[in-house]
Amino acid sequence: MNNATVPVGVVISKAGEYTFRMSDGTDGILVELIDYETNTTTNLLLSEYNVSLPAGTFENRFALTVKPNKVAT
Protein backbone atom coordinates (compact mmCIF):
# COMPACT_ATOMS: atom_id res chain seq x y z
CA MET A 1 0.00 0.00 0.00
CA ASN A 2 1.29 3.46 -0.90
CA ASN A 3 0.70 6.61 1.10
CA ALA A 4 -2.40 8.54 0.08
CA THR A 5 -3.55 12.04 0.99
CA VAL A 6 -7.26 12.76 0.68
CA PRO A 7 -8.61 16.33 0.92
CA VAL A 8 -11.44 16.72 3.41
CA GLY A 9 -14.02 19.41 2.69
CA VAL A 10 -16.03 20.66 5.66
CA VAL A 11 -19.20 22.77 5.66
CA ILE A 12 -19.95 24.37 9.03
CA SER A 13 -23.44 25.81 9.47
CA LYS A 14 -22.90 27.04 13.03
CA ALA A 15 -19.67 28.33 14.59
CA GLY A 16 -18.39 26.16 17.42
CA GLU A 17 -15.99 23.50 18.65
CA TYR A 18 -15.69 20.42 16.43
CA THR A 19 -13.90 17.11 16.96
CA PHE A 20 -12.32 14.79 14.41
CA ARG A 21 -11.96 11.22 15.68
CA MET A 22 -11.94 7.64 14.52
CA SER A 23 -14.40 5.41 16.31
CA ASP A 24 -12.54 2.21 15.40
CA GLY A 25 -8.89 1.51 14.71
CA THR A 26 -7.65 0.17 11.41
CA ASP A 27 -5.45 -2.89 11.29
CA GLY A 28 -2.04 -2.00 9.90
CA ILE A 29 -3.02 1.44 8.58
CA LEU A 30 -1.98 4.80 10.04
CA VAL A 31 -4.53 7.60 9.60
CA GLU A 32 -3.46 11.19 10.24
CA LEU A 33 -5.49 14.39 10.04
CA ILE A 34 -3.67 17.42 8.66
CA ASP A 35 -4.85 20.94 9.51
CA TYR A 36 -3.05 23.12 6.99
CA GLU A 37 -4.04 26.38 8.72
CA THR A 38 -2.42 25.45 12.03
CA ASN A 39 0.23 23.19 10.46
CA THR A 40 -0.88 20.37 12.77
CA THR A 41 -0.82 16.64 12.06
CA THR A 42 -2.73 14.33 14.41
CA ASN A 43 -2.58 10.54 14.48
CA LEU A 44 -6.31 9.77 14.76
CA LEU A 45 -5.61 6.26 16.02
CA LEU A 46 -4.00 7.74 19.14
CA SER A 47 -5.98 10.91 19.78
CA GLU A 48 -8.77 13.13 18.56
CA TYR A 49 -8.40 16.61 17.08
CA ASN A 50 -10.46 19.50 18.45
CA VAL A 51 -10.82 22.74 16.51
CA SER A 52 -12.88 25.91 16.80
CA LEU A 53 -14.42 26.82 13.44
CA PRO A 54 -16.55 29.72 12.29
CA ALA A 55 -19.52 29.09 10.01
CA GLY A 56 -18.41 28.59 6.43
CA THR A 57 -17.00 26.20 3.87
CA PHE A 58 -13.46 24.86 4.25
CA GLU A 59 -12.37 23.05 1.10
CA ASN A 60 -8.59 23.19 1.48
CA ARG A 61 -7.97 23.33 5.22
CA PHE A 62 -8.03 19.62 6.14
CA ALA A 63 -6.76 16.36 4.67
CA LEU A 64 -6.37 12.74 5.74
CA THR A 65 -3.13 10.91 5.15
CA VAL A 66 -3.42 7.13 5.01
CA LYS A 67 -0.30 4.97 5.04
CA PRO A 68 0.95 1.58 6.19
CA ASN A 69 1.73 1.44 9.89
CA LYS A 70 5.08 -0.29 9.70
CA VAL A 71 6.35 -1.98 12.81
CA ALA A 72 10.12 -2.37 13.18
CA THR A 73 11.24 -5.83 14.19
Coordinates of all heavy atoms in Angstrom, one line a residue:
M1 N 0.8 -1.2 0.0 CA 0.0 0.0 0.0 C 0.9 1.2 0.0 O 1.8 1.4 0.8 CB -0.9 0.0 1.2 CG -1.7 1.3 1.4 SD -2.6 1.3 2.9 CE -3.8 2.5 2.5
N2 N 0.6 2.2 -0.9 CA 1.3 3.5 -0.9 C 0.6 4.5 0.0 O -0.6 4.3 0.3 CB 1.3 4.0 -2.3 CG 2.2 3.1 -3.2 OD1 3.1 2.5 -2.8 ND2 1.7 3.0 -4.5
N3 N 1.3 5.5 0.4 CA 0.7 6.6 1.1 C -0.3 7.3 0.2 O -0.1 7.5 -1.0 CB 1.8 7.6 1.5 CG 2.8 7.0 2.5 OD1 2.6 5.9 2.9 ND2 3.8 7.8 2.8
A4 N -1.4 7.8 0.8 CA -2.4 8.5 0.1 C -2.8 9.7 0.9 O -3.0 9.6 2.1 CB -3.6 7.7 -0.2
T5 N -3.0 10.9 0.3 CA -3.6 12.0 1.0 C -4.9 12.4 0.3 O -4.9 12.6 -0.9 CB -2.6 13.2 0.9 OG1 -1.3 12.8 1.6 CG2 -3.1 14.4 1.7
V6 N -5.9 12.5 1.2 CA -7.3 12.8 0.7 C -7.7 14.1 1.3 O -7.8 14.2 2.5 CB -8.2 11.6 1.1 CG1 -9.6 11.9 0.6 CG2 -7.7 10.3 0.7
P7 N -8.1 15.1 0.4 CA -8.6 16.3 0.9 C -9.9 16.1 1.6 O -10.7 15.2 1.2 CB -8.8 17.2 -0.3 CG -8.0 16.5 -1.4 CD -7.9 15.1 -1.0
V8 N -10.2 16.8 2.7 CA -11.4 16.7 3.4 C -12.1 18.1 3.4 O -11.6 19.0 4.0 CB -11.2 16.3 4.9 CG1 -12.5 16.2 5.6 CG2 -10.5 14.9 4.9
G9 N -13.2 18.2 2.7 CA -14.0 19.4 2.7 C -15.0 19.4 3.8 O -15.6 18.4 4.2
V10 N -15.1 20.6 4.5 CA -16.0 20.7 5.7 C -16.9 21.9 5.5 O -16.5 23.0 5.2 CB -15.2 20.8 7.0 CG1 -16.1 20.9 8.2 CG2 -14.3 19.6 7.2
V11 N -18.2 21.7 5.7 CA -19.2 22.8 5.7 C -19.7 22.9 7.1 O -20.3 22.0 7.6 CB -20.3 22.5 4.7 CG1 -21.4 23.6 4.7 CG2 -19.8 22.3 3.3
I12 N -19.5 24.1 7.7 CA -20.0 24.4 9.0 C -21.1 25.4 9.0 O -21.0 26.5 8.5 CB -18.8 25.0 9.9 CG1 -17.6 24.0 9.8 CG2 -19.2 25.3 11.3 CD1 -17.8 22.7 10.5
S13 N -22.3 24.9 9.5 CA -23.4 25.8 9.5 C -23.5 26.7 10.7 O -24.1 27.8 10.7 CB -24.7 25.0 9.3 OG -24.8 24.1 10.4
K14 N -22.9 26.3 11.8 CA -22.9 27.0 13.0 C -21.5 27.0 13.7 O -20.9 26.0 13.8 CB -23.9 26.4 14.0 CG -24.1 27.2 15.3 CD -25.1 26.5 16.2 CE -25.2 27.3 17.5 NZ -26.1 26.6 18.4
A15 N -21.0 28.2 14.0 CA -19.7 28.3 14.6 C -19.6 27.5 15.9 O -20.6 27.5 16.6 CB -19.3 29.8 14.9
G16 N -18.5 26.9 16.2 CA -18.4 26.2 17.4 C -17.1 25.3 17.5 O -16.3 25.4 16.6
E17 N -17.1 24.5 18.5 CA -16.0 23.5 18.6 C -16.4 22.2 18.0 O -17.5 21.7 18.2 CB -15.7 23.2 20.1 CG -15.2 24.4 20.9 CD -13.8 24.8 20.5 OE1 -13.0 23.8 20.3 OE2 -13.5 26.0 20.5
Y18 N -15.4 21.7 17.2 CA -15.7 20.4 16.4 C -14.5 19.5 16.7 O -13.4 19.9 16.9 CB -15.9 20.7 14.9 CG -17.1 21.5 14.7 CD1 -17.2 22.9 14.7 CD2 -18.3 20.8 14.4 CE1 -18.3 23.5 14.4 CE2 -19.5 21.4 14.2 CZ -19.5 22.8 14.2 OH -20.7 23.5 14.0
T19 N -14.9 18.2 16.7 CA -13.9 17.1 17.0 C -13.8 16.1 15.8 O -14.8 15.6 15.3 CB -14.3 16.4 18.2 OG1 -14.4 17.3 19.3 CG2 -13.3 15.3 18.6
F20 N -12.6 15.9 15.4 CA -12.3 14.8 14.4 C -11.8 13.6 15.2 O -10.9 13.7 16.0 CB -11.2 15.2 13.4 CG -11.6 16.3 12.4 CD1 -11.5 17.6 12.8 CD2 -12.1 15.9 11.2 CE1 -11.9 18.6 11.9 CE2 -12.5 16.9 10.3 CZ -12.4 18.3 10.6
R21 N -12.4 12.4 15.0 CA -12.0 11.2 15.7 C -12.3 10.0 14.8 O -13.2 10.1 14.0 CB -12.6 11.1 17.1 CG -14.0 10.7 17.1 CD -14.6 10.4 18.5 NE -14.5 11.5 19.4 CZ -15.5 12.3 19.7 NH1 -16.7 12.2 19.1 NH2 -15.3 13.3 20.6
M22 N -11.6 8.9 15.1 CA -11.9 7.6 14.5 C -12.6 6.8 15.6 O -12.0 6.6 16.7 CB -10.7 7.0 14.0 CG -10.2 7.6 12.7 SD -8.8 6.7 11.9 CE -9.7 5.2 11.6
S23 N -13.7 6.2 15.3 CA -14.4 5.4 16.3 C -13.8 4.0 16.4 O -13.8 3.4 17.5 CB -15.9 5.3 16.0 OG -16.0 4.7 14.7
D24 N -13.2 3.5 15.4 CA -12.5 2.2 15.4 C -11.2 2.3 14.8 O -11.0 3.1 13.8 CB -13.3 1.2 14.6 CG -14.7 0.9 15.2 OD1 -14.8 0.8 16.4 OD2 -15.7 0.9 14.4
G25 N -10.2 1.5 15.3 CA -8.9 1.5 14.7 C -8.9 0.8 13.4 O -9.9 0.1 13.0
T26 N -7.8 0.9 12.7 CA -7.7 0.2 11.4 C -6.4 -0.7 11.5 O -5.4 -0.3 12.0 CB -7.5 1.1 10.2 OG1 -6.4 2.0 10.5 CG2 -8.7 2.0 10.0
D27 N -6.5 -1.9 11.1 CA -5.4 -2.9 11.3 C -4.3 -2.6 10.3 O -4.6 -2.7 9.1 CB -6.0 -4.3 11.1 CG -4.9 -5.4 11.4 OD1 -4.1 -5.1 12.3 OD2 -5.0 -6.4 10.8
G28 N -3.2 -2.2 10.8 CA -2.0 -2.0 9.9 C -2.0 -0.7 9.1 O -1.2 -0.6 8.2
I29 N -3.0 0.2 9.3 CA -3.0 1.4 8.6 C -3.0 2.6 9.5 O -3.7 2.7 10.5 CB -4.3 1.5 7.7 CG1 -4.3 0.4 6.7 CG2 -4.4 2.9 7.0 CD1 -5.6 0.3 5.9
L30 N -2.1 3.6 9.3 CA -2.0 4.8 10.0 C -2.8 5.9 9.4 O -2.7 6.1 8.2 CB -0.5 5.2 10.1 CG -0.2 6.5 10.8 CD1 -0.5 6.4 12.3 CD2 1.3 6.9 10.6
V31 N -3.7 6.5 10.1 CA -4.5 7.6 9.6 C -4.2 8.9 10.4 O -4.4 8.9 11.6 CB -6.0 7.3 9.7 CG1 -6.9 8.4 9.2 CG2 -6.3 5.9 9.0
E32 N -3.8 9.9 9.6 CA -3.5 11.2 10.2 C -4.3 12.3 9.6 O -4.6 12.3 8.4 CB -2.0 11.5 10.0 CG -1.0 10.6 10.7 CD 0.4 10.8 10.3 OE1 0.7 11.2 9.2 OE2 1.2 10.7 11.2
L33 N -4.8 13.2 10.5 CA -5.5 14.4 10.0 C -4.5 15.5 10.0 O -3.8 15.8 10.9 CB -6.6 14.7 11.0 CG -7.4 16.0 10.7 CD1 -8.3 15.8 9.5 CD2 -8.1 16.6 11.8
I34 N -4.5 16.2 8.8 CA -3.7 17.4 8.7 C -4.6 18.6 8.7 O -5.6 18.7 8.0 CB -2.9 17.4 7.3 CG1 -2.1 16.1 7.2 CG2 -2.1 18.6 7.1 CD1 -1.6 15.8 5.8
D35 N -4.2 19.6 9.5 CA -4.8 20.9 9.5 C -3.8 21.9 8.9 O -2.8 22.3 9.6 CB -5.2 21.3 10.9 CG -6.0 22.7 11.0 OD1 -5.8 23.5 10.1 OD2 -6.7 22.9 12.0
Y36 N -4.0 22.3 7.7 CA -3.1 23.1 7.0 C -3.0 24.5 7.6 O -1.9 25.2 7.5 CB -3.4 23.2 5.5 CG -3.1 21.9 4.8 CD1 -4.2 21.2 4.2 CD2 -1.9 21.4 4.6 CE1 -4.0 20.0 3.5 CE2 -1.7 20.2 4.0 CZ -2.7 19.5 3.4 OH -2.5 18.3 2.7
E37 N -4.1 25.0 8.2 CA -4.0 26.4 8.7 C -3.2 26.5 10.0 O -2.5 27.4 10.2 CB -5.5 26.8 9.0 CG -5.5 28.3 9.5 CD -6.9 28.8 9.6 OE1 -7.7 28.8 8.7 OE2 -7.3 29.2 10.8
T38 N -3.2 25.4 10.8 CA -2.4 25.4 12.0 C -1.1 24.6 11.9 O -0.3 24.6 12.8 CB -3.2 24.9 13.2 OG1 -3.5 23.5 12.9 CG2 -4.5 25.7 13.5
N39 N -0.9 24.0 10.7 CA 0.2 23.2 10.5 C 0.3 22.1 11.5 O 1.4 21.8 12.1 CB 1.5 24.0 10.4 CG 2.6 23.3 9.7 OD1 2.4 22.5 8.8 ND2 3.8 23.6 10.1
T40 N -0.8 21.4 11.8 CA -0.9 20.4 12.8 C -1.2 19.0 12.1 O -2.1 19.0 11.2 CB -2.0 20.7 13.8 OG1 -1.7 21.9 14.4 CG2 -2.1 19.6 14.9
T41 N -0.5 18.0 12.5 CA -0.8 16.6 12.1 C -1.1 15.8 13.3 O -0.4 15.8 14.2 CB 0.4 16.0 11.3 OG1 0.7 16.8 10.2 CG2 0.1 14.6 10.8
T42 N -2.3 15.1 13.3 CA -2.7 14.3 14.4 C -3.0 12.9 14.0 O -3.7 12.6 13.0 CB -4.1 14.9 15.0 OG1 -3.8 16.3 15.3 CG2 -4.5 14.1 16.2
N43 N -2.4 12.0 14.7 CA -2.6 10.5 14.5 C -3.9 10.2 15.1 O -4.1 10.2 16.3 CB -1.5 9.7 15.1 CG -1.7 8.2 14.9 OD1 -2.7 7.7 14.7 ND2 -0.6 7.5 15.1
L44 N -5.0 10.0 14.3 CA -6.3 9.8 14.8 C -6.5 8.4 15.4 O -7.5 8.2 16.1 CB -7.3 9.9 13.6 CG -7.5 11.4 13.1 CD1 -8.4 11.4 11.9 CD2 -7.9 12.3 14.2
L45 N -5.5 7.5 15.3 CA -5.6 6.3 16.0 C -5.2 6.4 17.5 O -5.6 5.6 18.3 CB -4.7 5.2 15.3 CG -5.1 4.9 13.9 CD1 -4.1 3.9 13.3 CD2 -6.5 4.3 13.8
L46 N -4.5 7.5 17.8 CA -4.0 7.7 19.1 C -4.8 8.8 19.9 O -4.8 8.8 21.1 CB -2.5 8.1 19.1 CG -1.6 7.0 18.5 CD1 -0.2 7.5 18.5 CD2 -1.7 5.7 19.3
S47 N -5.3 9.8 19.1 CA -6.0 10.9 19.8 C -7.0 11.6 18.8 O -6.9 11.3 17.6 CB -5.0 12.0 20.3 OG -4.3 12.5 19.2
E48 N -7.8 12.4 19.4 CA -8.8 13.1 18.6 C -8.2 14.5 18.3 O -7.3 15.0 19.0 CB -10.2 13.2 19.2 CG -10.2 13.8 20.6 CD -11.5 13.6 21.3 OE1 -12.2 12.6 21.1 OE2 -11.8 14.5 22.1
Y49 N -8.8 15.2 17.4 CA -8.4 16.6 17.1 C -9.6 17.5 17.3 O -10.6 17.4 16.6 CB -7.9 16.7 15.6 CG -7.4 18.1 15.3 CD1 -6.2 18.5 15.8 CD2 -8.1 18.9 14.4 CE1 -5.7 19.8 15.5 CE2 -7.6 20.1 14.1 CZ -6.4 20.6 14.6 OH -5.9 21.8 14.3
N50 N -9.4 18.5 18.2 CA -10.5 19.5 18.4 C -10.1 20.8 17.8 O -8.9 21.2 17.9 CB -10.6 19.7 20.0 CG -11.0 18.4 20.6 OD1 -12.1 17.9 20.3 ND2 -10.2 17.9 21.5
V51 N -11.1 21.5 17.2 CA -10.8 22.7 16.5 C -12.1 23.6 16.6 O -13.2 23.2 16.6 CB -10.4 22.5 15.0 CG1 -11.5 21.8 14.3 CG2 -10.0 23.8 14.4
S52 N -11.8 24.9 16.8 CA -12.9 25.9 16.8 C -13.0 26.5 15.4 O -12.0 26.9 14.8 CB -12.5 27.0 17.8 OG -13.6 28.0 17.8
L53 N -14.2 26.4 14.8 CA -14.4 26.8 13.4 C -15.6 27.8 13.4 O -16.6 27.6 14.0 CB -14.7 25.6 12.5 CG -13.6 24.6 12.3 CD1 -14.1 23.4 11.6 CD2 -12.4 25.3 11.6
P54 N -15.4 28.8 12.6 CA -16.5 29.7 12.3 C -17.5 29.1 11.2 O -17.1 28.1 10.6 CB -15.9 31.0 11.7 CG -14.6 30.5 11.1 CD -14.2 29.3 11.9
A55 N -18.6 29.6 11.1 CA -19.5 29.1 10.0 C -18.9 29.4 8.7 O -18.2 30.4 8.5 CB -20.9 29.8 10.1
G56 N -19.0 28.4 7.8 CA -18.4 28.6 6.4 C -18.0 27.3 5.8 O -18.3 26.2 6.3
T57 N -17.4 27.4 4.6 CA -17.0 26.2 3.9 C -15.5 26.2 3.8 O -14.8 27.2 3.5 CB -17.5 26.3 2.4 OG1 -19.0 26.3 2.5 CG2 -17.1 25.0 1.6
F58 N -14.9 25.0 4.2 CA -13.5 24.9 4.3 C -13.1 23.7 3.3 O -13.2 22.6 3.7 CB -13.0 24.5 5.7 CG -13.4 25.6 6.7 CD1 -14.7 25.5 7.3 CD2 -12.6 26.7 6.9 CE1 -15.1 26.5 8.2 CE2 -13.0 27.7 7.8 CZ -14.3 27.6 8.4
E59 N -12.7 24.1 2.1 CA -12.4 23.1 1.1 C -10.9 22.6 1.1 O -10.6 21.5 0.7 CB -12.8 23.6 -0.3 CG -14.2 23.8 -0.4 CD -14.6 24.3 -1.8 OE1 -13.7 24.6 -2.6 OE2 -15.8 24.5 -2.1
N60 N -10.0 23.5 1.6 CA -8.6 23.2 1.5 C -7.9 23.2 2.8 O -6.7 23.2 2.9 CB -7.9 24.2 0.5 CG -8.5 24.1 -0.9 OD1 -8.5 23.0 -1.4 ND2 -8.9 25.2 -1.4
R61 N -8.6 23.2 3.9 CA -8.0 23.3 5.2 C -7.5 22.0 5.8 O -6.5 21.9 6.4 CB -8.9 24.0 6.2 CG -8.3 24.0 7.6 CD -9.0 24.9 8.5 NE -8.3 24.9 9.9 CZ -8.7 25.6 10.9 NH1 -9.6 26.5 10.7 NH2 -8.0 25.5 12.0
F62 N -8.3 20.9 5.5 CA -8.0 19.6 6.1 C -7.8 18.5 5.1 O -8.2 18.6 4.0 CB -9.2 19.2 7.0 CG -9.6 20.1 8.1 CD1 -10.7 20.9 7.9 CD2 -8.9 20.2 9.2 CE1 -11.1 21.8 8.9 CE2 -9.2 21.1 10.3 CZ -10.3 21.9 10.1
A63 N -7.0 17.5 5.5 CA -6.8 16.4 4.7 C -6.5 15.2 5.6 O -6.1 15.3 6.7 CB -5.6 16.6 3.7
L64 N -6.7 14.0 5.0 CA -6.4 12.7 5.7 C -5.2 12.1 5.0 O -5.3 12.0 3.8 CB -7.5 11.8 5.8 CG -8.7 12.1 6.7 CD1 -9.8 11.1 6.5 CD2 -8.3 12.1 8.1
T65 N -4.2 11.7 5.7 CA -3.1 10.9 5.2 C -3.3 9.5 5.6 O -3.4 9.2 6.8 CB -1.8 11.5 5.6 OG1 -1.6 12.8 5.1 CG2 -0.6 10.6 5.0
V66 N -3.3 8.6 4.7 CA -3.4 7.1 5.0 C -2.2 6.4 4.5 O -1.8 6.6 3.4 CB -4.7 6.5 4.3 CG1 -4.9 5.1 4.7 CG2 -5.9 7.4 4.7
K67 N -1.5 5.7 5.4 CA -0.3 5.0 5.0 C -0.1 3.7 5.9 O -0.7 3.6 6.9 CB 0.9 5.9 5.2 CG 1.1 6.6 6.5 CD 2.2 7.6 6.4 CE 2.2 8.5 7.6 NZ 3.1 9.6 7.5
P68 N 0.7 2.8 5.4 CA 0.9 1.6 6.2 C 1.6 1.9 7.5 O 2.4 2.9 7.6 CB 1.9 0.8 5.3 CG 1.9 1.4 4.0 CD 1.5 2.8 4.2
N69 N 1.2 1.2 8.6 CA 1.7 1.4 9.9 C 2.8 0.4 10.1 O 2.5 -0.7 10.6 CB 0.6 1.3 11.0 CG 1.1 1.8 12.3 OD1 2.2 2.3 12.5 ND2 0.3 1.5 13.3
K70 N 4.0 0.7 9.7 CA 5.1 -0.3 9.7 C 5.6 -0.4 11.1 O 5.8 0.5 11.8 CB 6.2 0.1 8.8 CG 5.8 0.2 7.3 CD 6.9 0.7 6.4 CE 6.4 0.8 5.0 NZ 7.4 1.3 4.1
V71 N 5.8 -1.7 11.5 CA 6.4 -2.0 12.8 C 7.8 -2.5 12.6 O 8.0 -3.5 11.9 CB 5.5 -3.0 13.6 CG1 6.1 -3.4 14.9 CG2 4.1 -2.5 13.7
A72 N 8.7 -1.9 13.3 CA 10.1 -2.4 13.2 C 10.3 -3.6 14.0 O 9.8 -3.7 15.1 CB 11.1 -1.3 13.7
T73 N 11.0 -4.6 13.4 CA 11.2 -5.8 14.2 C 12.7 -6.0 14.4 O 13.5 -5.5 13.7 CB 10.7 -7.1 13.5 OG1 11.2 -7.1 12.1 CG2 9.1 -7.0 13.4

